[in-house]
Amino acid sequence: MSASGNKMNCDEYKEAIAADPSAPSDEVAGHVANCESCSAYLAEMQALDDKIARALNIEVPELKIPDLPPIEDGNVTNLPFARKSKLPTWIAVAASFALAAIIGVQFIDTGPVGEYSLADEILAHIDHEPGALRVTDVAVSDERFASVVNPSVGRMDRDVGLITYAQSCVIHGKTIPHLIIQGKEGPITLLLMPDEMVEGASIIDGEGVNGVILPVGNGSIAIIGEREENLAEIEQKVINSVEWSI
Amino acid sequence: MNRNDADRKRRARFDRVVSIFHQDMYRYAAWLCRDPGIAEEVVQEALLRAWKSLDALRDDEAAKPWLLTIVRRENARYFERKRLETVDIDNLSPAQSAMLAEKEDTELEDMRQAIFRLEDDYREPLVLQVLMGHSTREIAELMGMQQGAVLTRLHRARHKLKDEMEKEAAA
């Protein structure tokens, strides 16, 4: 079946074959068994793939392991932030007041107790979704944005910055919007977590990146950028732009 | 287990994982950045990062996509730092030429050049599928895309290569 639910024609079968000649679906295989043209096309694409595979198989230089530093706490990537929050108190307080009118007051706590696993998961998630961190001036479409920041999450003004990535991702077992806006120093990750209540603002301190988890109503927002990025400028804008659905 | 034992065990695990997947890491990096010298740098940085975050790899069965993800990110970091110019196929460095060369098989060399010329958006999913054996779902996850978009790029990539090879054959 095609994406529209109609029966596929040979052109559509050939598109499917060209997308993955080595593993045609049962439906494609069933059609190919009874269609001379598509059968020949499959053989042609598989032959092409053999050549592609040989061409990609370039010579590899000898493995050179770099000098590996001893593993101490300070060398471990994704280190949970085991120190007091470096978030300036005025940012946290300002953020809270800005939100209070819309969402409700949250108290800012500089201690990260109880949020190690959330910060860890956020950093690990960013590490495992590097495709998001592209420097680009191409904004995501309104449709894409609306499908990710959907009414079940709440609403967000798009003028918070150039939003270049929007994906629904799972953090702490909950599907949440993962957005990227382009900052001065590189892409900035925003994770809108409407159901992830935190007790206070806290720092995310990863390798080469810095960030913060801010309490926002009954949820929280994580903002993570390059180490040199001045996140204070963006935090307020982000907080003001978001309103959770009730 | 004392600290030394733990360190030795960690190092042994790292060596084992890296020795298995080093070739994949290098080839992926080389086809991403299209420069063997840069690929070596990217892999070195990726190895360092993998070493530091090895404890985040909970299951060695997942080591390959984990390492490739690190390579992809290091490649992106490299290009963000360096802001390199687009590669000009007619003006390759000696190292780039050597990467593509296949004196005994001109058809293979033509194919390498055709892949080299492919836009990044087409080349990367093709490398992940054909060379790394990733499914389209895995490619979509790695590249942060919808699976449908991956399928479109893959069939377009093959059509472009097919056209290029037919042009070469006719020339």
Side-chain angles (χ1 to χ4, degrees):
Chain A
M1 290 289 180
S2 67
S4 60
N6 298 323
K7 191 165 167 43
M8 286 163 64
N9 59 34
C10 280
D11 285 343
E12 289 167 323
Y13 278 117
K14 284 176 181 173
E15 274 191 13
I17 289 167
D20 197 355
S22 65
S25 67
D26 290 346
E27 188 188 351
V28 172
H31 173 79
V32 164
N34 298 302
C35 175
E36 206 172 306
S37 168
C38 288
S39 175
Y41 187 76
L42 176 61
E44 185 187 8
M45 283 294 121
Q46 287 177 337
L48 181 73
D49 256 24
D50 285 344
K51 287 177 194 160
I52 294 171
R54 284 173 53 224
L56 291 174
N57 210 17
I58 54 172
E59 202 173 313
V60 177
E62 194 182 337
L63 170 62
K64 283 180 279 186
I65 300 275
D67 288 338
L68 302 175
I71 293 299
E72 294 158 10
D73 287 350
N75 286 331
V76 178
T77 307
N78 298 343
L79 180 72
F81 40 91
R83 55 179 181 261
K84 282 285 205 183
S85 169
K86 288 186 283 190
L87 182 74
T89 305
W90 69 267
I91 296 175
V93 172
S96 279
F97 277 110
L99 283 166
I102 312 169
I103 302 163
V105 175
Q106 286 286 314
F107 292 99
I108 300 296
D109 176 9
T110 53
V113 176
E115 288 163 42
Y116 291 96
S117 58
L118 177 60
D120 262 347
E121 192 169 339
I122 287 170
L123 283 171
H125 180 75
I126 293 171
D127 268 346
H128 285 80
E129 203 162 308
L133 296 171
R134 296 181 69 177
V135 176
T136 173
D137 56 4
V138 179
V140 291
S141 67
D142 287 341
E143 294 77 16
R144 175 76 184 166
F145 180 76
S147 74
V148 172
V149 185
N150 55 53
S152 71
V153 174
R155 71 167 191 84
M156 180 183 190
D157 295 333
R158 283 201 66 160
D159 58 7
V160 64
L162 177 64
I163 301 174
T164 57
Y165 180 85
Q167 178 84 24
S168 294
C169 295
V170 175
I171 295 284
H172 250 199
K174 296 161 192 145
T175 302
I176 56 107
H178 175 174
L179 308 173
I180 298 291
I181 60 174
Q182 296 296 315
K184 287 182 182 161
E185 302 296 333
I188 297 173
T189 301
L190 307 179
L191 301 174
L192 310 185
M193 302 178 285
D195 301 316
E196 195 66 53
M197 190 184 267
V198 296
E199 290 183 3
S202 46
I203 290 288
I204 294 177
D205 191 9
E207 187 171 301
V209 297
N210 82 102
V212 63
I213 304 172
L214 294 170
V216 178
N218 289 328
S220 52
I221 297 177
I223 305 172
I224 304 103
E226 293 292 315
R227 173 74 63 199
E228 301 78 23
E229 188 80 49
N230 180 5
L231 292 180
E233 289 178 6
I234 192 75
E235 284 164 5
Q236 192 63 65
K237 271 194 193 173
V238 171
I239 288 170
N240 289 338
S241 71
V242 174
E243 190 173 356
W244 305 135
S245 61
I246 298 169
Chain B
M1 187 161 44
N2 65 34
R3 181 66 190 248
N4 284 343
D5 286 344
D7 287 349
R8 269 196 295 274
K9 213 171 164 184
R10 193 177 195 281
R11 178 59 197 255
R13 184 187 180 207
F14 177 79
D15 287 346
R16 187 177 63 247
V17 166
V18 166
S19 67
I20 294 169
F21 296 115
H22 164 249
Q23 293 202 338
D24 287 331
M25 292 173 75
Y26 175 81
R27 289 194 177 112
Y28 182 44
W31 284 110
L32 275 184
C33 66
R34 295 181 291 181
D35 187 301
I38 295 172
E40 285 202 64
E41 281 186 51
V42 166
V43 170
Q44 290 289 298
E45 288 298 320
L47 289 172
L48 264 179
R49 193 166 289 269
W51 167 248
K52 290 176 184 175
S53 59
L54 186 63
D55 300 331
L57 176 65
R58 291 185 178 86
D59 180 0
D60 285 3
E61 293 287 310
K64 185 174 174 181
W66 181 72
L67 287 168
L68 295 185
T69 298
I70 295 173
V71 168
R72 189 171 199 269
R73 185 160 196 202
E74 286 308 318
N75 181 67
R77 280 176 194 272
Y78 186 95
F79 279 81
E80 278 170 25
R81 284 198 303 268
K82 307 274 179 176
R83 307 265 182 210
L84 291 185
E85 294 168 9
T86 311
V87 174
D88 177 2
I89 189 76
D90 297 320
N91 192 20
L92 298 178
S93 69
Q96 287 171 316
S97 298
M99 173 180 158
L100 301 180
E102 194 64 57
K103 288 194 178 69
E104 303 296 315
D105 189 340
T106 53
E107 190 186 37
L108 194 60
E109 188 168 324
D110 289 343
M111 177 62 89
R112 278 198 186 137
Q113 291 191 3
I115 296 169
F116 202 84
R117 279 192 294 266
L118 273 181
E119 296 93 325
D120 294 351
D121 288 347
Y122 294 125
R123 194 174 59 255
E124 185 177 7
L126 194 69
V127 170
L128 287 168
Q129 187 186 59
V130 178
L131 193 60
M132 303 298 162
H134 280 35
S135 68
T136 51
R137 185 184 56 77
E138 290 167 332
I139 297 168
E141 278 175 15
L142 186 69
M143 295 183 70
M145 296 168 59
Q146 297 292 320
Q147 203 170 342
V150 171
L151 290 168
T152 301
R153 288 186 187 185
L154 285 166
H155 86 71
R156 285 187 186 158
R158 286 192 175 87
H159 275 282
K160 282 170 180 262
L161 292 178
K162 181 171 168 284
D163 291 347
E164 287 275 322
M165 295 305 285
E166 282 171 357
K167 272 187 218 158
E168 282 295 333

